[in-house]
Amino acid sequence: MGIITFIDINGQSKETIPTNEVNLMQLAVNNNILGIDAECGGCCSCATCHVVINNKLDIIPKAQGDELELLNFVPNKEDNSRLSCQVLIDETLNDLIVEVKSA
Amino acid sequence: MKKIIIIGGSHAGVHAAFTLRNQIPDAKIDIFSDESHYPYHRPPLSKKSLQEESCLDDILLKPKALYIKNNITFHTDSPVTNIDSHNSVIHAQNKNFEYDKLIIATGGTPRTLEIDGVASQDILYIRNFDDAQKLKNKLLNAHSVLIIGGGYIGLETAASLRVKGKDVTVIEAANRILNRVLCPIMSDYYQSYHESKGVNFIINDQIVNAKKQTSGYQLKTKKGEMISANIIIVGIGIVPTIKLAEEIGINCSNGIEVNQYCQTNIDNIYAIGDCSNYYHERYGQALRIESVQNATEQARVCSSHISGNPFKEPVVPWFWSDQYDLNLKMVGLNIGYEEIIIRGDINNHKFTCFYIAENKVVAADAVNSPGEFMAAKIIITKNKKVDLNILRDQSLSISEVMKLWEL
Ligand SMILES: Cc1cc2nc3c(=O)[nH]c(=O)nc-3n(C[C@H](O)[C@H](O)[C@H](O)COP(=O)(O)OP(=O)(O)OC[C@H]3O[C@@H](n4cnc5c(N)ncnc54)[C@H](O)[C@@H]3O)c2cc1C
Ligand code: FES
């Protein structure tokens, strides 16, 4: 597995290497990335794991369903906003850059 | 170098530790926990992890290695026995530990119940991982379960146990379930939904005594009903853990009293999470709130105060509860509401109750409606008097409502 880079809420970037994390929220939490509070523990209830992913758009699907419903009301939502707990990790995410946004 | 000690390693304490680590890179941070486990998510204990095979690792708040990596010393099996605020030390592991700043994040313990005829070890509670394990073991040989208390924990447990095929009875002393937190419409809705899944309810009644049977108990209610149950679970609320604070003269009343920065009346001692009675500027009153969001928000506020970062008021309180396929999200405070406006479709199990007071939306309960929940959060935060007919108009989407309200 390669490197996934987070840009935290203060603009600091940090490279991480997934071990056994299932989704991007867990990876962020496990690396103490500032701005990912993940209050609901990943059950798509809180939107405190909001990120924007502007690269690798071909392999990162857009938000849909409950995730999209939550995101539609997140104040600083962008086109490529996702809830990181809903983005599953696999090898295709190598070199991904994930920008942390506040909920 | 600042020495920071945190008593209690759960949602509040752990969030404070990691936030502080980011804010004060060279601080010495120690967390003392009386549990033998590393910190874990509590909400799944009555939900997913009660229904499925699961282990502690599945629900850990952070992997163990992360504490070491961030130089946060986590002491398991280390109850703090007292605080000496004159010398700024706490006592644990038969030793003294010095602090510059102390954070009390001791949470609460279940309110206990005695039942005439039932041995106290046969009354189960769900507060921590060990409680949940004990319950899971007992469930292996149990078919019928009595749940005392129709609050969130009781109802989530009821749902989880129905999913596992157990016979479930819920007894509630008040005249409706969830009466402390939801409006009657929601209480009725939740009771009917549980009934449709096969839960048996006894409302407005209490257990008076019980007789031991070969496997479990035969219990009698005040109104004379008889219930047989292999297992008895009690979920009637928690009592905040305030002893350490009380002993050294910190003001307590329904929790440890703290100001908007989470400070107690002793300047360098803070209290956060379920144990704190926090002064909410937004509401002009002290409130003790039991939720993960409240724990993390107060952790953030207290960390900022310790590290000298600017104060940012906590966001409006919110909470979630999962029962069967119903995801409920509540936001705001519905104390003193005057009217309810319902949007969505109750029959389709996708609807939201808006609580209104003085022409403002003060709270909302959203069932399977994450968008309405997020919208309600914004609406409630703005705290604006609005034309309610717009909200009543179901042909408008919630975003259109917000546009018309200029929010
Ligand atoms: C079964 C269950 C389901 C829940 N579901 C939800 C939900 O869906 N959504 C939600 O928002 N909230 C939910 N909650 C509530 C939420 O878990 C609590 O609000 C949250 O855990 C509060 O965190 P805390 O850190 O303040 O306190 P706690 O989690 O109670 O932690 C306090 C810790 O301090 C320890 N401690 C106490 N005294 C000492 C001492 N003297 N020395 C050392 N350690 C000490 C305790 O053992 C404990 O480990 C649920 C709670 C339970 C029990
Ligand atoms: S962690 Fe709550 S929505 Fe992602």
Side-chain angles (χ1 to χ4, degrees):
Chain A
M1 200 56 239
I3 288 171
I4 296 180
T5 305
F6 285 92
I7 299 169
D8 78 12
I9 199 93
N10 293 340
Q12 293 274 10
S13 86
K14 190 167 179 181
E15 292 184 351
T16 66
I17 300 171
T19 48
N20 51 5
E21 291 87 357
V22 176
N23 59 50
L24 285 182
M25 176 279 281
Q26 290 170 342
L27 183 64
V29 166
N30 290 355
N31 287 280
N32 204 18
I33 302 292
L34 211 60
I36 300 282
D37 286 350
E39 280 165 1
C40 77
C43 60
C44 204
S45 280
C46 71
T48 60
C49 65
H50 177 202
V51 297
V52 169
I53 302 171
N54 282 326
N55 59 353
K56 297 218 161 202
L57 291 175
D58 47 328
I59 51 160
I60 304 276
K62 293 244 178 216
Q64 46 179 313
D66 280 2
E67 183 189 347
L68 184 61
E69 264 196 57
L70 275 171
L71 278 170
N72 277 335
F73 292 95
V74 169
N76 48 4
K77 178 186 182 260
E78 296 180 16
D79 257 9
N80 298 322
S81 279
R82 292 292 313 260
L83 295 178
S84 54
C85 66
Q86 305 300 310
V87 182
L88 301 183
I89 294 180
D90 62 36
E91 313 74 64
T92 61
L93 301 195
N94 264 345
D95 304 327
L96 194 71
I97 299 170
V98 183
E99 205 181 322
V100 177
K101 295 277 163 180
S102 59
Chain B
M1 184 180 63
K2 247 191 192 134
K3 294 194 203 84
I4 300 166
I5 288 183
I6 300 170
I7 310 177
S10 181
H11 290 278
V14 170
H15 198 73
F18 281 87
T19 310
L20 282 163
R21 172 53 72 228
N22 272 324
Q23 292 170 338
I24 317 178
D26 67 345
K28 175 170 165 40
I29 303 176
D30 285 74
I31 307 180
F32 290 84
S33 172
D34 58 3
E35 295 192 52
S36 40
H37 311 292
Y38 266 65
Y40 49 87
H41 288 273
R42 269 176 222 273
L45 297 180
S46 51
K47 306 178 180 78
K48 218 166 147 189
S49 57
L50 194 54
Q51 293 165 34
E52 297 167 3
E53 263 322 302
S54 72
C55 60
L56 190 69
D57 282 352
D58 297 336
I59 57 169
L60 283 181
L61 283 179
K62 316 254 180 194
K64 274 189 196 174
L66 203 64
Y67 295 82
I68 300 162
K69 204 164 142 197
N70 283 280
N71 203 7
I72 293 170
T73 312
F74 195 90
H75 306 262
T76 50
D77 292 309
S78 301
V80 172
T81 49
N82 67 283
I83 302 169
D84 173 354
S85 57
H86 296 293
N87 296 309
S88 292
V89 294
I90 58 124
H91 195 75
Q93 305 163 346
N94 293 316
K95 283 189 294 230
N96 285 333
F97 294 85
E98 284 175 25
Y99 64 82
D100 297 311
K101 304 281 179 186
L102 178 66
I103 302 173
I104 304 176
T106 44
T109 52
R111 182 165 289 128
T112 54
L113 189 71
E114 277 176 33
I115 304 172
D116 183 17
V118 182
S120 62
Q121 75 267 19
D122 285 343
I123 299 181
L124 304 181
Y125 301 89
I126 313 180
R127 179 69 189 176
N128 58 37
F129 187 75
D130 293 340
D131 295 339
Q133 281 313 102
K134 185 171 163 194
L135 170 61
K136 277 172 106 167
N137 286 337
K138 295 221 171 189
L139 280 171
L140 295 173
N141 303 310
H143 187 64
S144 55
V145 180
L146 171 66
I147 296 172
I148 301 178
Y152 287 122
I153 304 247
L155 293 173
E156 286 180 356
T157 306
S160 297
L161 298 184
R162 276 308 296 153
V163 169
K164 284 174 76 90
K166 307 293 178 192
D167 271 350
V168 179
T169 300
V170 174
I171 183 164
E172 166 59 53
N175 61 2
R176 58 187 176 88
I177 59 169
L178 296 166
N179 77 312
R180 282 190 311 149
V181 281
L182 298 182
C183 64
I185 300 169
M186 290 294 288
S187 297
D188 287 350
Y189 172 78
Y190 267 88
Q191 183 171 338
S192 314
Y193 200 79
H194 275 273
E195 281 168 345
S196 76
K197 300 286 181 184
V199 176
N200 175 34
F201 282 92
I202 301 174
I203 303 296
N204 209 350
D205 203 352
Q206 294 175 45
I207 302 293
V208 282
N209 57 38
K211 260 205 207 92
K212 182 119 186 89
Q213 290 179 321
T214 31
S215 151
Y217 290 91
Q218 167 97 43
L219 301 108
K220 196 174 152 200
T221 74
K222 218 177 199 164
K223 291 184 178 163
E225 286 208 51
M226 302 297 276
I227 310 151
S228 260
N230 304 134
I231 289 187
I232 303 167
I233 302 171
V234 171
I236 53 170
I238 68 159
V239 182
T241 304
I242 59 174
K243 190 168 154 277
L244 292 173
E246 229 173 9
E247 283 169 355
I248 54 167
I250 290 177
N251 296 336
C252 293
S253 58
N254 180 31
I256 303 168
E257 287 176 18
V258 295
N259 63 14
Q260 70 270 39
Y261 309 121
C262 297
Q263 252 176 326
T264 66
N265 53 311
I266 300 180
D267 272 3
N268 62 342
I269 303 184
Y270 296 75
I272 57 176
D274 279 16
C275 69
S276 88
N277 195 11
Y278 174 83
Y279 180 78
H280 279 262
E281 284 188 324
R282 185 188 308 279
Y283 296 109
Q285 60 175 304
L287 296 164
R288 195 176 66 76
I289 296 175
E290 296 161 13
S291 75
V292 170
Q293 179 248 359
N294 176 70
T296 44
E297 281 288 281
Q298 293 188 356
R300 178 182 62 69
V301 166
C302 132
S303 305
S304 292
H305 197 255
I306 290 176
S307 59
N309 277 304
F311 170 69
K312 230 177 85 207
E313 194 188 8
V315 301
V316 287
W318 65 267
F319 183 83
W320 81 94
S321 174
D322 293 318
Q323 297 165 45
Y324 311 104
D325 50 356
L326 303 180
N327 173 259
L328 170 64
K329 298 190 225 289
M330 291 139 286
V331 51
L333 275 191
N334 64 14
I335 307 168
Y337 71 91
E338 296 149 5
E339 190 194 340
I340 299 279
I341 294 175
I342 296 186
R343 292 174 54 87
D345 185 358
I346 291 199
N347 297 323
N348 256 324
H349 310 291
K350 196 172 165 65
F351 67 98
T352 304
C353 277
F354 290 87
Y355 295 80
I356 312 295
E358 296 170 355
N359 287 304
K360 290 176 184 170
V361 177
V362 292
D365 307 328
V367 176
N368 293 337
S369 308
E372 303 258 327
F373 160 76
M374 287 299 284
K377 210 161 142 182
I378 298 170
I379 296 169
I380 294 163
T381 306
K382 296 272 164 80
N383 192 31
K384 188 175 162 187
K385 281 199 191 327
V386 286
D387 177 358
L388 295 171
N389 283 327
I390 295 176
L391 187 65
R392 288 192 191 96
D393 184 350
Q394 292 243 28
S395 69
L396 299 170
S397 74
I398 194 73
S399 0
E400 288 166 332
V401 169
M402 288 174 70
K403 275 207 193 90
L404 288 169
W405 283 348
E406 292 170 12
L407 292 179

